[in-house]
Amino acid sequence: MTSIVQSPNLEILAREPEGFSIWKGPPFNNGQPAIKLERVSCTVARFSDNGSRLMVTKNNSVISVYDGYSSNEIRSFEIPSLLGAALSPCGTYLQTFQKSTNPQDKNVVLWEIHSGASVYQHFQKNMTKATWPSIQFSSDESVACRLATNEIQFFDSKDFSKGFIYRLRLPGVAAIELSKAPGSYIAAFLPESKGIPASIQIFSSNKDAQTQPIARRSFFRCSTVTMHWNKLSSGLLVVAQSDVDKTNQSYYGESKLNYLTTDGSHEGLVSLRKEGPVHDVQWSYSGLEFAVVYGFMPAKATIFDKKGNPSLELGQGPYNTVRFNPKGRVVCLAGFGNLPGDMAFWDYKEKKLLGTTKAECSVTSEWSPDGRYFMTATTAPRLQIDNGIKIFHHDGSLYFKKMFNKLHQADWKPETPESFSDIDELVTAVNTIKIGDNEKKAQGSKSTETSKIPASIAQKPAAYRPPHAKNADSVKAELFGGIAPATEISKNALRNKKRREKQKEKKAAESGSNASII
């Protein structure tokens, strides 16, 4: 008799100024989330990558670690002058960064959570996005390394008391990225220096195979890089950013997308079919394809296969964000930040559009681990008003919305996507429902999309638009692509229009009377 393994429940962490709480679901009973953990006062809250641990910074000197499943506090650390903290992927270790007054202070400490003991310490002058967390781990924590001056140091991840056990000398190295699953390779960025071009070099994590780089790519005009490994550790995407655009087309500099493989099959630029910046890039969960949003607005979106060849064009629009569904086949394109919040959901296996919607003023966005839901959040301090959470179905229809006076964070609790059933069954079921809906409502795509939104939400007043923007739909259509939507004139605008017309008639009558007198 085979036993049925139940999928884990989805959970959401929501942090307000008073602290964080953890919700159960979705799906929600009676349309509202149940509370798993009541509000806990904190300034920072972060899950480990596998969701087994939750790190909570309660003030400038106290960090508590909670069990990710029971939500019970399992360990507390008191660390004076705390500036930063991070969990290892499996929640085994906690590393902290403290304010330091002299180089003799070992201000980066690695703690073993189970025992509460300090297992490794070293000095680090400052903390930047490129250098924190100081010690990088592979997803299974089998490989651990850190960037030091002119070298990369590797550790025994089971026994940090040995210190680093071997090193890879790379003069001038400025940033590194360890492949996650598995941790077989390490990518290093060496900036441009004395006429020598900048370069990305990939080495094996195995000491005996580090004599020569496995792959290398050199380029000029590069200030910083962002590196993205795929799940299989077989491909690396590198967005090379320069501060100055020599073509003077962009105030923000220029960016290029490079693609390197560990088998040597590809080392070069990804061929993008439109000029402009690289807005976003992401690997699919399988690691067999990647999506890129690029070009001047309206931006272009393309999915590439593992050989770097385009496999699907997703069109143009006001987009700067791409998110692959962790269960495969669905991808979300969105335009957040200073863009209007348009979202398009594609089934890239079937090459068809599932639905479109909007989430204005969104700051963060992510798929749920089971691939059924897509959550966007408007958070402070980026935006101080209209803070809230929206959750959409995988086809873009709105499922849940909640507003807050102030919201600082909204995150899914991480879970392994393999622990959930496949989304293909859900897609088939939804398509069957759609066919029935289309027979009842043969009014085109616009009526279908509006029918998905509850009346209580659809009837809410629209966001404020200044007078000069009310007749700018044609300009927006030209800038962002698509057809300008027809908008109704408000009562105030209609009143102002009539007043202006009367003033024109009055002036015309006065000028006519003056002319007759002359």
Side-chain angles (χ1 to χ4, degrees), residues 486-503:
T487 56
E488 296 181 2
I489 301 176
S490 66
K491 291 182 180 179
N492 289 334
L494 190 59
R495 193 182 301 115
N496 292 335
K497 183 179 179 182
K498 288 180 179 179
R499 188 183 294 118
R500 286 194 298 269
E501 289 175 353
K502 287 182 180 179
Q503 289 176 351

Side-chain angles (χ1 to χ4, degrees), residues 52 81 95 162 166 190 307 338 365 450 477:
S52 64
S81 305
Q95 55 181 309
K162 299 177 182 178
Y166 59 92
L190 284 75
K307 296 181 179 179
N338 59 349
S365 62
T450 54

Side-chain angles (χ1 to χ4, degrees), residues 45-56 63-68 74 77 84-96 110-113 132-133 135-138 141:
R46 289 284 185 273
F47 282 105
S48 60
D49 289 352
N50 67 352
S52 64
R53 296 286 185 268
L54 173 63
M55 178 195 72
V56 178
I63 295 178
S64 294
V65 179
Y66 288 74
D67 184 274
I74 58 177
F77 298 86
L87 287 170
S88 61
C90 297
T92 308
Y93 300 102
L94 169 72
Q95 55 181 309
T96 59
L110 187 69
W111 308 85
E112 186 183 34
I113 294 173
W132 186 256
I135 299 174
Q136 295 188 22
F137 291 87
S138 60
E141 297 184 359

Side-chain angles (χ1 to χ4, degrees), residues 250-265:
S250 174
Y251 175 80
Y252 301 100
E254 63 176 335
S255 53
K256 300 291 183 182
L257 181 60
N258 299 268
Y259 178 37
L260 297 87
T261 58
T262 53
D263 61 3
S265 60

Side-chain angles (χ1 to χ4, degrees), residues 259-295:
Y259 178 37
L260 297 87
T261 58
T262 53
D263 61 3
S265 60
H266 196 289
E267 292 179 13
L269 288 171
V270 177
S271 180
L272 303 179
R273 300 179 180 181
K274 187 173 185 178
E275 290 187 357
V278 177
H279 302 288
D280 196 13
V281 58
Q282 189 180 44
W283 283 100
S284 68
Y285 186 77
S286 66
L288 299 178
E289 56 267 315
F290 59 91
V292 189
V293 183
Y294 59 95

Side-chain angles (χ1 to χ4, degrees), residues 316-330:
Q316 298 187 127
Y319 303 129
N320 61 4
T321 303
V322 60
R323 295 286 184 270
F324 269 105
N325 189 301
K327 297 301 290 185
R329 81 177 289 162
V330 180

